[in-house]
Amino acid sequence: MPDLFATAGAAEPRDEMIAPGAVLLRGFALPFVNDVLAAFDDITAQAPFRHMTTPWGAAMSVAMTNCGDAGWLTDRAGYRYDRVDPERGQPWPALPECFRELASRAADRAGHPGFVPDACLINHYAPGTRLNVHQDRDERDYGHPIVSVSPGLPAIFQFGGPKRREPVRSFVVRHGDVVVWGGVSRLAYHGVAELKSGGEHPLLGNQRVNLTFRRAL
C-alpha cells in the first residue's frame, strides 16, 4: 500500500547507511503493511502486551509481547529467551510468514543475505514512553543481523557503537521504515527516544509499534 504520509511527487525513498553494516531502509515495509498489521492483531489477541520488569524490579514503560519459536523476557531472573509465554503457560504464537518474508528481504537488501528469523519481539510505544540505549546480546549467535520494523507514529531511533561511551546518532523513523544492523555493528547500542504526543496515524492511531526480528536460538 502507498505511504499515507507521502507527498505527491516526492522522491523515491533512499537507503541510508548509518554505520558499517547498518542500513536504514526508507519505506521498505510499506508493501507488507496490510498483511503485517492483520497478523499483528492475531498475535496480540493470543499473547497480549504486558509491562515486563527488569532484573532489579523496575517496570518497563514500553509494553511487549513476542511471536516465534522463542520470546524475549526480562524479570527478576534476568534477560533471556523462552519458548513458553509465562503469563499463559503456552508457546508463543507462531511467526507469520509475512513477518519472516519481510525480515529476510530487508536483511538481504541491507547486505546480510540468508537471514531467517526465529523470534520477533513486539514493542508498543504510547506517548511518553521510551527505550533506553542497550545492546541485543541474548541471542546465541551474533553472526545474524537484527531487523527492526516501525509501523505507526514517527519516532527518534538512536544508534551508537559497540561501547556505551561512543557517540549516539539520532534518526527519524517513519511508518514503513526498516533498520537492519549486523556485522561489526551487530552489538551497537541503540534505543528509542521518548515518543512525543499529539500525533495520529491513520492506521494505528496515537501509537507506535516496533517489530524486532532476531535469530535467537
Side-chain angles (χ1 to χ4, degrees):
M1 67 175 289
D3 184 345
L4 296 171
F5 292 124
T7 302
E12 189 72 17
R14 294 181 300 172
D15 299 347
E16 299 178 26
M17 180 73 71
I18 63 176
V23 183
L24 171 52
L25 307 174
R26 293 290 185 191
F28 186 87
L30 290 174
F32 299 84
V33 162
N34 289 340
D35 289 343
V36 164
L37 292 183
F40 162 80
D41 288 341
D42 290 341
I43 291 164
T44 54
Q46 296 177 63
F49 283 112
R50 73 289 307 265
H51 291 276
M52 300 184 191
T53 57
T54 64
W56 50 94
M60 299 187 70
S61 67
V62 175
M64 300 178 174
T65 190
N66 293 275
C67 65
D69 295 340
W72 185 84
L73 299 173
T74 172
D75 55 23
R76 289 285 192 178
Y79 305 125
R80 66 194 183 282
Y81 284 93
D82 199 305
R83 293 182 180 273
V84 174
D85 177 355
E87 290 199 359
R88 300 181 303 125
Q90 299 177 19
W92 297 98
L95 190 72
E97 183 55 36
C98 62
F99 279 29
R100 197 184 319 274
E101 182 180 3
L102 169 56
S104 295
R105 288 192 181 185
D108 185 67
R109 171 76 167 263
H112 302 282
F115 175 60
V116 181
D118 60 7
C120 177
L121 173 64
I122 306 174
N123 293 338
H124 175 266
Y125 293 85
T129 60
R130 62 178 296 160
L131 192 63
N132 292 332
V133 292
H134 63 282
Q135 294 173 300
D136 291 345
R137 56 182 312 128
D138 299 314
E139 299 74 33
R140 292 184 181 176
D141 183 355
Y142 300 152
H144 301 285
I146 302 293
V147 177
S148 175
V149 181
S150 299
L153 291 178
I156 304 298
F157 179 71
Q158 301 168 319
F159 198 82
K163 297 180 180 179
R164 185 180 288 275
R165 66 175 179 270
E166 294 185 51
V168 173
R169 299 173 64 199
S170 295
F171 303 87
V172 177
V173 287
R174 300 179 177 87
H175 179 69
D177 288 349
V178 180
V179 185
V180 182
W181 63 97
V184 296
S185 290
R186 172 59 180 78
L187 292 177
Y189 278 87
H190 59 282
V192 176
E194 181 177 325
L195 188 68
K196 302 301 182 183
S197 61
E200 190 76 15
H201 189 273
L203 294 179
L204 288 167
N206 192 23
Q207 62 177 324
R208 174 181 183 262
V209 172
N210 178 258
L211 313 175
T212 303
F213 297 95
R214 293 104 176 247
R215 185 76 184 180
L217 303 179

